[in-house]
DNA sequence: AATGAATGAGGGTTCATTCAT
DNA sequence: GATGAATGAACCCTCATTCAT
């Protein structure tokens, strides 16, 4: 990678970082391209060398952040040695919830962007294609000896459940803080899993 | 209510209707106050006699629509004679899902606004205060003879689950159409209920 | 016409005048909407209340100026009492050439916009519809007793000839000043008329 | 001419060709230097090695195209053996009109650039200086035995007439297609010639 | 000579808001 | 209360031009 390419990648990263900060602070609508380039310390025209508009940037950033969060969880999982299916699911869920609890900026940012379709349709750039989550989950199911009716429906159900509850509990502490609610979230997920499991 | 007040109320209603249509078609961000007043057939200045800005109008409109949808479901319930707890819950859920399926405009509109906090914090105007949903649910639980650990957590869990799954299934048909997914949603809710139920 | 309408017409006129001056000085391309509103002393947004863009304004302005010039010539003609066909044609031509000689700004402005299609296709606003030049010419021909083969071709030929020659002679004094060239222009037109005339 | 010079000339030619295509399609104003270099397949900076700006390129391109068109006509004439003056004039005129009819891109491009001053003032590069049209016309007149009062006025008159009428007839078919109008154009020119001829 | 990433001035356009009528 | 013409700040985006490579 030549000096120029290196420099390009750096500019792009600076723009991503600046935008992430601003989107989190002011929201997508109130953040302007001027804001972003000012914060990034580049000229306005430079923005358009990398992104079509702020929505383009946002979309790519969401894909990055969501995927990054899940990658973290799986990497942490690989360092554990869990054989039990339910423990594994809870580990992943709790890891993601912990990340969201630790970083409200991230929480706010991925809310409403952490959905099943993010994993199945997101246009990931090359650096992220390493992690194909649906495939990983399939492999993971094969390794355990448990069988589910429509496992993709189950995962969809669980993910949508987490997204909504995590945001309310962490951000608004509504109807309770995550600490208080978490046991019930676990229970609910257990209930869901038991319904999908086959004999 | 005098003629003048009547006329006022009419202008306000026209603005609500026009805005609802436009917000649904173009989204909040791309809808301008000009669009709204043009569609409503009133002068620009008139808008400011009723609302502070378009976000004010939007907030009030969401409260109206969401509450209206739930009112519909409870009214339909009162015309039935269901004694079984689970049947009652499913009736309400399916009624709301049907409303959303029948009216994509409504679906789009309430998405991200149909959450537990809508019921507990929403600023409702006088005409809506008649319906206090958390209280209704409490009454409803007392009437049945089943007992739950933290019933408010259970309802919260169910509502958040429905919001996310309904939007994806109805709007994007992702991961499947609601018709195909609904049995599994019911199953999942059964699983959740069973976990919260006390002996 | 109320105070408001009066004011509106005035704003529009101010914009026309400012634009005419600027288009003539800097050309259409180099004149910006900012230039126009600054010169007119109105806000930028006001421009868009009256015109779609600068090309819209330009088009309307050309129609005004060209038609105005021809109206002047016909009005002057009506104050004369010319019976001879050729004298009438020369009177009109010379009158128009005089206007262009007297006002280089106008000359520059109508150049390449003074063509047969301007008269047949121009979208004229109501104030100008009074003057339907092709019809006036028809009437004029009927009154005289001379007959031409394809008179519309003849007028087209003459107009295109004048447009090109007038611009070069008046503006660039090329190949000669109008004073020197005019007798030859008259001759050329006589030659053209004689060719179109029927026995 | 060395390899390097050859390569240079090639780049320049590529830029000319790309620009010609683009100017014709989108017009001078809407064509950007980016467009040109993209179409030509060279880097942006390269443009500035050959031209000062797009107007510079345009000016040179017009001179090329207009002169080329006239050269074609004279070369075709040299292959004929016409002695009659009027036939010669008509041959040249019709040849040029045919070129314009066959190539609307060219028509559009030379319109407003095909005027007397193009021949007398155009900055021609070396390759074109071979053709000095005013001188050629003089020679041509001497060869015939006809005498005209101010022949340069006559040619000027004829050229300006053709420019305006050809564009309208060919491009807009206004007031008629060139096929229909051409006999009358010939007539008009005959009329003009007869007026300038000396006994 | 050739490149093309970076620049940033400045264009067009929108639109919430005001205020005289 | 109701109007809608007028405003002008602030947005998005373009593109001629530069310059390190």
């Amino acid at each position: 990678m030549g000096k120029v390419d290196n420099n390009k990648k750096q500019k792009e990263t600076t723009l991503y970082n600046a935008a992430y900060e601003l989107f989190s602070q002011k929201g997508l609508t109130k953040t302007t391209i001027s804001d972003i380039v000012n914060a990034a310390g580049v000229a306005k025209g430079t923005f358009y060398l990398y992104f079509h508009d702020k929505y383009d940037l946002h979309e790519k950033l969401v894909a990055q952040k969501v995927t990054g969060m899940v990658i973290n969880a799986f990497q942490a999982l690989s360092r554990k040695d869990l054989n039990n299916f339910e423990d594994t699911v809870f580990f992943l869920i709790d890891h993601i919830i912990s990340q969201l609890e630790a970083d409200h900026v991230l929480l706010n940012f991925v809310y409403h962007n952490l959905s099943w379709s993010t994993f199945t349709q997101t246009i990931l750039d090359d650096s992220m294609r390493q992690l194909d989550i649906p495939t990983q989950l399939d492999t993971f199911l094969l390794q355990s000896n448990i069988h589910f009716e429509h496992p993709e429906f189950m995962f969809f159900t669980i993910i949508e459940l987490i997204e909504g509850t995590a945001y309310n509990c962490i951000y608004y502490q509504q109807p309770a803080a995550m600490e208080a609610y978490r046991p019930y979230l676990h229970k609910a997920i257990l209930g869901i899993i038991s319904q999908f499991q086959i004999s």
Side-chain angles (χ1 to χ4, degrees), chain A:
Chain A
M1 197 188 264
K3 213 173 189 174
V4 171
D5 281 345
N6 218 318
N7 215 322
K8 274 183 68 173
K9 200 72 205 163
Q10 218 175 319
K11 279 250 153 60
E12 201 182 346
T13 306
T14 319
L15 283 166
Y16 272 129
N17 293 342
Y20 177 56
E21 204 64 38
L22 286 162
F23 287 156
S24 306
Q25 282 165 25
K26 317 172 59 172
L28 175 57
T29 304
K30 295 215 163 172
T31 300
T32 68
I33 291 173
S34 283
D35 291 339
I36 298 169
V37 295
N38 286 343
V42 302
K44 235 191 205 154
T46 306
F47 180 91
Y48 295 92
L49 296 177
Y50 295 97
F51 307 103
H52 189 61
D53 53 30
K54 70 176 171 182
Y55 302 101
D56 179 30
L57 193 168
H58 184 258
E59 200 176 308
K60 287 171 178 162
L61 198 46
V62 167
Q64 265 183 38
K65 292 293 176 182
V66 169
T67 313
M69 206 172 60
V70 180
I71 287 176
N72 288 342
F74 273 89
Q75 283 179 344
L77 177 66
S78 70
R79 288 190 296 270
K80 293 273 170 183
D81 190 29
L82 300 177
N83 291 314
N84 182 283
F85 175 75
E86 281 158 10
D87 286 355
T88 306
V89 168
F90 287 144
F91 178 85
L92 288 172
I93 287 169
D94 287 342
H95 195 281
I96 286 172
I97 289 176
S98 302
Q99 289 182 64
L100 295 172
E101 277 182 299
D103 186 354
H104 278 215
V105 171
L106 181 66
L107 170 70
N108 236 316
F109 194 73
V110 300
Y111 182 50
H112 287 160
N113 294 303
L114 174 61
S115 77
W116 184 246
S117 47
T118 309
F119 299 124
T120 56
Q121 329 181 19
T122 302
I123 302 134
L124 302 172
D125 74 23
D126 291 334
S127 70
M128 282 178 244
R129 239 181 263 288
Q130 42 166 310
L131 185 82
D132 175 356
I133 291 162
T135 305
Q136 286 227 16
L137 289 174
D138 281 351
T139 317
F140 171 59
L141 280 181
L142 283 174
Q143 284 165 358
S144 53
N145 261 331
I146 320 175
H147 297 281
F148 296 104
E149 201 181 345
H150 277 294
E152 79 282 11
F153 284 4
M154 182 178 73
F155 289 123
F156 165 68
T157 308
I158 294 172
I159 288 171
E160 295 299 331
L161 177 58
I162 294 168
E163 134 130 309
T165 54
Y167 187 72
N168 279 278
C169 292
I170 298 175
Y171 204 75
Y172 291 117
Q173 314 263 11
Q174 271 282 347
M178 184 42 97
E179 209 177 346
Y181 176 70
R182 194 192 316 238
Y184 299 92
L185 176 58
H186 280 199
K187 273 186 162 187
I189 290 168
L190 270 186
I192 292 169
I193 290 174
S194 69
Q195 291 286 328
F196 278 86
Q197 194 166 354
I198 298 171
S199 68

